[in-house]
Amino acid sequence: MKTRLGCFSRKSDSYGDFSEFLPPAHETTARCVKLSTEEVVQWSHSFDQVVSHKYGLAAFRTFLKTEFSDENIEFWMACEDYKKIKNSTKLISKANKIFKEFLDVQAPREVNIDYRTRVETKQSLEDPSPSSLNEAQAKIYSLMEKDSYPRFLRSNMYLDIVKRTHAHSQRRSV
């Protein structure tokens, strides 16, 4: 799995790097992921379709990196991981790490949340539970859904994925 997703791990200034994600124009490689046109088109049905599909999520993350706004999806993913923690010591540690990285004023990867949400989240993290970050996560999800997701669907990156998966499926059916 790590090898297959290796094409997403590099920081990218342009969507051209994303072409490794797609089946090559003339051949296929074991290294890159194969997607059907139907899967890719489903991403346009709802934002949840993108973030719940492992390759849709990877594509969206890559897109946000090209816009230098990947802190939102990274925060959302960190919250998803946080919710799964059962050990209270690890929960406290992860909560502090997430707050310092994404939520604190002047955090290195500060996400855009309102003052009230920031304060309430900080208070909630004084005695952390798996739901302590839910409100902040929901705000960021909504922000991505309303702002970044429509741009993703209009982006050359997404349109190229659709076009190339369609072309690849046409070649396979011949």
Side-chain angles (χ1 to χ4, degrees):
M1 178 66 114
K2 188 173 182 180
T3 304
R4 288 181 158 204
L5 293 178
C7 42
F8 297 116
S9 63
R10 291 191 305 266
K11 186 89 172 162
S12 172
D13 292 352
S14 73
Y15 90 93
D17 290 348
F18 191 73
S19 64
E20 289 185 43
F21 173 73
L22 302 169
H26 296 81
E27 59 185 56
T28 59
T29 64
R31 185 168 165 244
C32 286
V33 176
K34 309 301 182 285
L35 284 171
S36 71
T37 304
E38 182 180 304
E39 287 175 295
V40 175
V41 169
Q42 284 179 355
W43 300 348
S44 69
H45 296 169
S46 73
F47 183 56
D48 189 57
Q49 290 279 339
V50 173
V51 297
S52 63
H53 188 282
K54 64 182 172 179
Y55 301 124
L57 179 60
F60 188 66
R61 283 178 71 191
T62 301
F63 170 73
L64 290 179
K65 286 179 183 181
T66 68
E67 295 203 329
F68 302 100
S69 63
D70 59 318
E71 68 280 351
N72 290 330
I73 194 67
E74 297 299 331
F75 170 71
W76 183 84
M77 291 170 54
C79 291
E80 289 296 293
D81 290 342
Y82 173 81
K83 291 178 196 178
K84 298 173 189 171
I85 298 172
K86 302 293 183 215
N87 179 299
S88 61
T89 305
K90 288 181 181 178
L91 196 70
I92 292 168
S93 173
K94 183 74 168 180
N96 288 329
K97 181 180 180 206
I98 291 171
F99 189 83
K100 286 177 184 169
E101 184 174 355
F102 298 105
L103 298 173
D104 207 0
V105 176
Q106 300 296 320
R109 304 186 73 203
E110 185 178 0
V111 293
N112 186 13
I113 57 170
D114 60 272
Y115 175 80
R116 184 193 60 76
T117 303
R118 186 181 320 274
V119 169
E120 288 177 4
T121 302
K122 187 173 185 175
Q123 289 171 347
S124 177
L125 291 175
E126 289 173 6
D127 184 22
S129 73
S131 63
S132 294
L133 296 166
N134 284 0
E135 186 177 353
Q137 184 187 23
K139 299 263 181 175
I140 294 303
Y141 183 94
S142 178
L143 178 69
M144 290 188 297
E145 184 176 37
K146 291 175 183 163
D147 183 41
S148 305
Y149 174 62
R151 284 197 317 277
F152 170 68
L153 295 178
R154 291 188 307 268
S155 72
N156 288 336
M157 177 188 288
Y158 176 72
L159 298 174
D160 194 40
I161 295 168
V162 172
K163 183 174 81 178
R164 295 212 23 216
T165 55
H166 181 71
H168 183 71
S169 68
Q170 292 297 320
R171 282 194 305 277
R172 284 195 305 185
S173 66
V174 173

